[in-house]
Amino acid sequence: MERIVIVGAGFAGFYAARRLERTLGKRDDVSITLVSRDNFLLFTPLLHEVASGELRPEDIVSPIRPALRRIHHVHADVREIDLETRRVRCEAVLVPGAIELVFDKLLIASGSETDFGPLPDVAGSVLTLKTLADAVLLRNAMIACLEESSLERDPASRRALLSIAVVGGGFSGVEATGAINDFMHDAVPLYPEVDPRDVRVVLVELGDALLPELGERLGRYAAQKLTARGVEVHLGTAVKGYEEDLLSTSRGLALRARLVIWTAGVKPGPVIEALRCDKQKGRIVVNENLEVPGWPGVWAVGDCAAVPGRDGELMPATAQHGLREGVHAARNIEASVEGRSQAPFRFQTLGQLAAIGRRTGVANVFGLRFSGLLAWLMWRTVYLVKLPTMLERVRVALGWTLDLLFPRDMEQVVSAHDIDLVARLRKSWRSAAEEKAARREAA
Ligand SMILES: Cc1cc2nc3c(=O)[nH]c(=O)nc-3n(C[C@H](O)[C@H](O)[C@H](O)COP(=O)(O)OP(=O)(O)OC[C@H]3O[C@@H](n4cnc5c(N)ncnc54)[C@H](O)[C@@H]3O)c2cc1C
């Protein structure tokens, strides 16, 4: 039996599993296991639309089980990858319980997590935008701030409740800023007690331009458009700290904001950090076949891998690249199972697109630059086509149509009480499982 284990069901892992299911899934002498802490693929390019209530959470996910029926799915948190003994050690998501997976071939595709750089302490007080829960929480937090501001008598506290800062002017930061700004301005008329002039959306970026990957002109266009719509854009500005609602920066900005969304950078998670193999910028070094040097039968792809590009630069950490790297690694795994030689990974970036709010976009496709409504339409078309299943395409198209015709979703579906309840439930499940384990050990 050839045991193939894939860690992570994001763009890279999911598409690799989909390819392997088609090519090796029917073989009795091959087992394919996909382990991930989510039981779905999350379509991150549309995450900001969930945060702003234009799409519903379920519109942008593909559940793993119906999509990959011949793959064994383990819904668990990977805690350790032991390359020497060829084992992946995991823990179930809700209750403690070790799961050990032995592999002959391993594909590591565990993506990345938010990097707080020199300010790790802010992690506990800011929101991030990486997971589906992040997007749902952000929308609910904005609604909570609006509700509370309508009851707040103190003007300074009211302004703090209506001030939102986004840190990071890359794709996710700019898209989130546009979406947040639209959401707040669409929602505020529903709160007659609130003065719309108190809404303040601020974008802080360390570099001198927004969206540097798209080039200077489109970055400038994005900054001008956001500014024209009331967003305060602070370029060349580093965040110095965020404590008790006060965000301070290198350029003397001191903003009282209840919500800060941190999108400035990503890095591979602790499992990758602990791996005993070469890394570059924290990402696993791979050769041109996407295999980890020194560890035959182990490949790494997506955000967690340092994939060499043509010009000596690393491939960017994007869905566009992760997906293709995943499919290519799957081909090389097939080749290795069948005793054929592997092929090098070659890919040229096709283009990049971003939506910046109010039916406006920026795009650089095959070196051609677009902005405004046309770029926004291109953005929507490309991502609609790129959704993995027809069901999602129909759902998203329907969501966008409803959004054109009706007001966006404004209900607060997850409150602080709900979060508290889940935390308490989890604690009690864990202690029940621990008690059971202790009783079993004693017996
Ligand atoms: C808000 C946002 C917008 C974006 N927009 C775009 C865009 O427009 N275009 C574009 O090309 N890219 C975009 N990206 C980047 C893109 O999402 C990533 O580059 C891509 O998801 C990387 O794919 P991946 O498979 O490597 O990692 P991911 O998609 O992050 O998947 C990693 C998977 O591994 C799982 N996992 C991680 N650690 C563990 C563990 N310890 N145990 C179990 N499971 C684990 C995760 O749950 C997840 O399922 C965006 C990202 C964000 C956050």
Side-chain angles (χ1 to χ4, degrees):
M1 177 66 82
E2 192 81 57
R3 292 156 299 187
I4 303 171
V5 173
I6 302 170
V7 173
F11 281 95
F14 182 90
Y15 280 90
R18 199 152 95 162
R19 159 97 200 178
L20 288 172
E21 176 184 58
R22 261 204 327 267
T23 52
L24 301 178
K26 281 193 185 150
R27 280 178 54 163
D28 293 336
D29 58 343
V30 176
S31 83
I32 308 165
T33 302
L34 175 61
V35 48
S36 176
R37 61 163 76 107
D38 298 315
N39 74 346
F40 52 74
L41 163 68
L42 172 65
F43 199 81
T44 48
L46 298 182
L47 206 50
H48 65 276
E49 296 220 346
V50 172
S52 63
E54 281 162 278
L55 291 174
R56 304 199 141 241
E58 55 276 21
D59 295 343
I60 66 159
V61 296
S62 297
I64 291 171
R65 286 185 187 270
L68 301 170
R69 286 174 190 261
R70 287 196 290 268
I71 300 267
H72 180 49
H73 177 230
V74 175
H75 185 215
D77 224 331
V78 172
R79 293 295 161 93
E80 187 193 0
I81 298 175
D82 187 338
L83 295 176
E84 272 101 6
T85 60
R86 297 180 91 77
R87 278 166 167 73
V88 175
R89 299 198 177 91
C90 328
E91 196 168 291
V93 173
L94 283 178
V95 287
I99 304 162
E100 196 169 78
L101 304 167
V102 182
F103 63 83
D104 300 299
K105 313 268 183 250
L106 173 70
L107 177 62
I108 308 173
S110 55
S112 54
E113 57 181 44
T114 304
D115 184 5
F116 295 96
L119 298 173
D121 293 346
V122 300
S125 41
V126 300
L127 296 177
T128 51
L129 192 57
K130 276 289 284 171
T131 65
L132 192 60
D134 287 341
V136 174
L137 280 178
L138 172 54
R139 185 165 77 87
N140 286 280
M142 288 192 286
I143 297 167
C145 284
L146 281 160
E147 294 291 352
E148 279 180 37
S149 67
S150 71
L151 303 171
E152 181 59 62
R153 294 278 160 263
D154 172 49
S157 304
R158 200 166 53 233
R159 279 197 295 277
L161 280 163
L162 295 169
S163 297
I164 302 179
V166 178
V167 182
F171 279 91
S172 47
V174 169
E175 292 191 322
T177 305
I180 288 168
N181 196 47
D182 289 355
F183 180 89
M184 292 300 283
H185 285 102
D186 284 357
V188 82
L190 300 175
Y191 297 83
E193 311 84 352
V194 175
D195 183 346
R197 286 170 303 182
D198 284 345
V199 172
R200 191 173 173 197
V201 179
V202 176
L203 174 59
V204 181
E205 161 58 33
L206 181 63
D208 293 333
L210 298 182
L211 301 169
E213 304 87 343
L214 286 180
E216 198 189 326
R217 210 172 84 192
L218 290 179
R220 213 171 34 238
Y221 175 89
Q224 280 162 359
K225 273 285 165 199
L226 289 173
T227 308
R229 289 168 184 165
V231 174
E232 279 175 43
V233 179
H234 295 266
L235 297 174
T237 306
V239 170
K240 287 282 168 208
Y242 179 59
E243 241 175 288
E244 291 174 13
D245 286 358
L246 190 69
L247 183 88
S248 50
T249 74
S250 57
R251 294 213 167 183
L253 171 75
L255 173 72
R256 276 199 71 200
R258 181 61 57 85
L259 291 183
V260 172
I261 297 96
W262 193 279
T263 69
V266 292
K267 61 172 187 188
V271 172
I272 304 299
E273 214 174 292
L275 264 188
R276 290 180 50 195
C277 62
D278 289 345
K279 321 259 173 54
Q280 193 175 343
K281 296 183 180 164
R283 295 158 77 182
I284 303 168
V285 168
V286 293
N287 63 22
E288 58 175 8
N289 296 339
L290 305 174
E291 206 170 13
V292 182
W295 299 101
V298 179
W299 292 260
V301 286
D303 282 10
C304 70
V307 178
R310 269 195 192 147
D311 42 8
E313 293 275 299
L314 294 186
M315 292 275 181
T318 72
Q320 182 182 160
H321 292 81
L323 186 159
R324 282 158 181 98
E325 290 161 17
V327 172
H328 191 86
R331 281 201 197 103
N332 280 346
I333 292 172
E334 283 153 41
S336 136
V337 168
E338 288 163 2
R340 291 182 280 111
S341 50
Q342 299 185 38
F345 176 68
R346 307 252 184 266
F347 178 64
Q348 189 67 43
T349 306
L350 303 173
Q352 287 183 312
L353 307 100
I356 57 174
R358 293 259 179 267
R359 299 184 174 58
T360 309
V362 279
N364 186 336
V365 182
F366 299 120
L368 298 173
R369 285 187 284 254
F370 303 88
S371 57
L373 180 66
L374 177 64
W376 179 79
L377 288 170
M378 287 166 68
W379 176 84
R380 279 215 157 169
T381 313
V382 166
Y383 285 118
L384 190 65
V385 173
K386 284 279 164 204
L387 283 159
T389 64
M390 186 52 78
L391 175 63
E392 277 173 67
R393 280 176 221 139
V394 172
R395 274 192 182 151
V396 167
L398 207 62
W400 282 341
T401 312
L402 292 176
D403 183 56
L404 280 178
L405 302 174
F406 300 101
R408 61 179 81 217
D409 291 332
M410 293 287 173
E411 68 280 358
Q412 190 192 5
V413 287
V414 184
S415 69
H417 302 289
D418 302 325
I419 296 168
D420 195 41
L421 176 68
V422 172
R424 274 188 284 130
L425 272 178
R426 199 163 185 232
K427 211 164 144 196
S428 83
W429 286 333
R430 280 189 169 256
S431 54
E434 271 155 16
E435 248 173 57
K436 207 166 123 192
R439 272 205 308 274
R440 212 181 300 129
E441 209 165 287

